[in-house]
Structures are given as C-alpha cells and as structure tokens.
Amino acid sequence: MMRAVDIKNGKGPASALFINPDTPKPTPAPADALVKIKAFGLNRMDLLQREGQYPVPPQAPKTLGVEFSGTIESFGSDPSGDFLVGDEVFGLAYGGAYAEYIAASTHMLIHKPRELSWVEAAGIPETWITATQALHLVGTLQPHETILWHAGASSVSIAGIQLSHAASASAIYATAGSAEKLSFCVDTLGATAAFNYHTQDWPREVLAATDGKGVNVVVDFIGADYFQGNLDAVARDGRVVHLGAMSGTKLKEGVDIGAFVRKRVRFEGSSLRSRDEAYQGKLRDRLVQEALPEFVKGRFKVFVEKVLDWEEIVEAHGLMESNRTKGKIVCTIGEVGS
C-alpha cells in the first residue's frame, strides 16, 4: 500500500481532498517504470477532475495529477530507453501523480538534469508540452509571425511566451487581469505588450498594436467570452487555438462568425491528455531535443509561484482556484533537496 491524495465521496470542493494511507501501490505495466515521487505539479484540469467535470481518459487511475519528478524504483517487463533503477527523472502520465508512487510509461519519462531542481522538473511536462503543442502542432507559428497568449501569467502561457521568443516571433502579446501580471508578462517574460482584460478593450488594443492587421496566432483558454474578440483580433489566414473554456461553452447571441470566411480564419480545438502515447511521445521528444538544452543553459525558466508540502493539498487547490498566481504551484512529498 501507499499514501495518495483522494477525494471524499469521489468528487467535491478542495476541502474534500485528503491523503489516503490505504491506496494500492501501482504495479508497472510492461513498458512502465515505477517512480517514487519527489514532487508533482498542479494543473487546472485537476480542479475540474476533482469536481467530476473532466473527461478522464479510460487508462488513467482515479488519483489526480499528470506531471511529476522522482526516482525510478523498478520496471515492468519491457521498458524502453536507457533508464536504470535509481535514475532521477520527470515525466507526464495520464494520472496518478498525487501519490508516493506512480507507474508511468518509460516513453514519457525524461532524465532530470542536475541544473533543474525536483520542483522545477515537476512543473515542466504538462505545461511545456501543452504550450509546444499549441504553438507548433496546432498554431503552426512561423518565424516573424505574431502571437497572442491569453491568461499570460498562467503556466502554459509563461512557457508559450518563452517558446515564442525561441521560435522567432516578431511580436508576442498577452492578456492578464492585473497590473502586476501585465508587468510580469512584459518586464519578466519579454512580451511585446500586455492588455488588461478588465479595463481595456483587448481586441481593439491588439489591432492598434499590429496596425490593424491582427495577430497570426491566438492561444485561448477562456472560451465563450473571448470567441468574438479572438475573431476580431486574429489576422487574415490566422489560427485560433482553443485549449479551454473557463468562461463557458455557450456563445452569446449576436456573435458574428463572418471572419471565418472574410479572413480565412482557422479555429481548432485541442487537448493533450486525451491524446494517445504516440502523439504525446513525439511532443516529449521535441521537449527533450529543443527545450531541455535551454533549461540547462538557463535560457528557459520554470516560474514557481509556491511550493507546498503535499499534506497542504487543500490549500494548494484553493490557491489555484483564486486565480492570483503567476506560474506553477508544486507540491513536494517528504524532504526534497536539489
């Protein structure tokens, strides 16, 4: 048996979370490694899953969490890669990271370089792979194109802004809800400009900043409330990447979809967790080849808002629900050094 975060009655508010000491320890499948977890990252999907509102993949265990760092304890009968027992790794899973142990596919593990702490490594997989997917596979950003990242101080957009610089975007814009977050996007991350969605007409600001052309790519997590604004702010032959619907999925009466034809706009939704391992594995490989060297050199950074002991998981979920954070919330299990 092991300890893992569980939910009273199967779903509920943050206060329903507790550590269950009688959780079965996972047995690795043939291609899996059993990893003793040092740290795990929180993601907004965890909040939805906790409330019973997320379409969990059928292969996922009931335990929350998809990204983690830790040490390999054992293997299944047919692992892949050059991993050994005792190796320090981080990785992506379909679920089960809020626990002392996780059985994770060796195809989705990455060797942890010494330049990254356990906490930093745990905050990379879901966030950076999602941003890579949005930027390159769905948004197909080309050098010298422009891009708008909504929720600019969220972990995915923090990764996305850095990746956009590396992809030679000519201008990078963001939206956020406070002066502090706007400053963070521009002064710390290097966005060209950022707009306050509470006090500014951000589609109009984007058009003004681009001489009326709009941006080539929009990455959106908000959904219904931003649908019209995205169509207004995107350029001719632009792409809107839809990754979430925090404001809902029902469009308001009067939405004008003329831009789809007039500007030849492509609107495409996507997700990462529902993808098969082959698709996720290609993104994992791209992360290893392109992003990991930049982390080692210090050019890419994992911005961590707060580190909590996993026994403070109720507080961690409450903090994420507050929408006050800039970057990752990471929980650690036991003593975690570098």
Side-chain angles (χ1 to χ4, degrees):
M1 305 298 283
M2 68 171 183
R3 295 183 299 162
V5 176
D6 208 339
I7 310 168
K8 297 172 187 176
N9 301 316
K11 64 179 180 179
S15 59
L17 297 171
F18 72 103
I19 295 180
N20 185 347
D22 298 316
T23 305
K25 187 176 179 179
T27 300
D32 288 353
L34 183 67
V35 178
K36 181 175 176 59
I37 293 178
K38 292 277 193 178
F40 59 83
L42 273 64
N43 292 282
R44 193 159 290 275
M45 76 175 89
D46 302 344
L47 308 183
L48 297 173
Q49 183 177 339
R50 188 201 71 216
E51 295 172 345
Q53 298 178 6
Y54 190 89
V56 180
Q59 66 271 48
K62 72 171 187 175
T63 302
L64 300 171
V66 298
E67 59 183 355
F68 59 91
S69 61
T71 56
I72 294 177
E73 184 168 281
S74 65
F75 293 100
S77 60
D78 188 26
S80 67
D82 58 348
F83 299 103
L84 300 170
V85 170
D87 279 356
E88 300 181 348
V89 296
F90 61 105
L92 184 69
Y94 286 106
Y98 285 27
E100 290 181 310
Y101 294 91
I102 188 170
S105 170
T106 47
H107 295 107
M108 297 306 298
L109 293 180
I110 301 169
H111 287 286
K112 183 183 84 69
R114 64 179 181 275
E115 290 85 358
L116 288 174
S117 69
W118 291 112
V119 166
E120 290 169 329
I124 290 174
E126 170 69 18
T127 298
W128 284 77
I129 289 177
T130 296
T132 298
Q133 176 195 30
L135 185 71
H136 294 295
L137 270 64
V138 184
T140 62
L141 183 79
Q142 302 301 307
H144 311 302
E145 287 191 325
T146 55
I147 187 166
L148 168 65
W149 290 89
H150 286 304
S154 69
S155 295
V156 172
S157 289
I158 288 171
I161 291 170
Q162 293 178 74
L163 286 166
S164 299
H165 281 296
S168 301
S170 62
I172 304 165
Y173 302 102
T175 61
S178 70
E180 180 185 5
K181 289 183 177 181
L182 297 179
S183 176
F184 172 74
C185 290
V186 175
D187 299 333
T188 302
L189 299 178
T192 308
F195 311 112
N196 190 320
Y197 59 80
H198 290 304
T199 62
Q200 293 177 282
D201 183 346
W202 60 263
R204 185 182 298 274
E205 296 290 346
V206 169
L207 289 172
T210 57
D211 295 325
K213 296 177 182 177
V215 289
N216 301 110
V217 179
V218 177
V219 182
D220 179 43
F221 314 88
I222 310 304
D225 287 354
Y226 281 17
F227 188 85
Q228 185 68 69
N230 289 334
L231 293 182
D232 295 342
V234 73
R236 187 180 296 274
D237 294 315
R239 290 82 69 194
V240 178
V241 182
H242 176 66
L243 297 182
M246 292 175 62
S247 68
T249 59
K250 304 292 186 181
L251 297 183
K252 299 175 182 177
E253 184 177 355
V255 168
D256 182 358
I257 63 172
F260 283 112
V261 174
R262 185 177 70 255
K263 295 198 285 187
R264 302 189 295 266
V265 172
R266 174 162 63 86
F267 182 99
E268 184 171 349
S270 190
S271 66
L272 180 63
R273 195 176 182 187
S274 63
R275 302 284 189 170
D276 62 30
E277 191 175 286
Y279 181 97
Q280 291 187 4
K282 290 178 182 177
L283 285 164
R284 174 263 182 208
D285 293 346
R286 187 161 188 164
L287 176 69
V288 171
Q289 294 161 10
E290 299 178 10
L292 196 58
E294 300 304 302
F295 283 114
V296 171
K297 295 173 186 175
R299 294 174 182 167
F300 283 170
K301 294 182 179 180
V302 181
F303 289 86
V304 177
E305 172 74 20
K306 192 167 186 178
V307 180
L308 301 97
D309 186 275
W310 76 317
E311 297 199 9
E312 300 174 286
I313 190 62
V314 172
E315 179 184 343
H317 269 232
L319 180 59
M320 175 161 277
E321 288 176 327
S322 74
N323 292 324
R324 299 193 310 266
T325 59
K326 303 185 300 299
K328 293 298 295 188
I329 301 168
V330 177
C331 287
T332 57
I333 301 178
E335 292 295 326
V336 176
S338 59

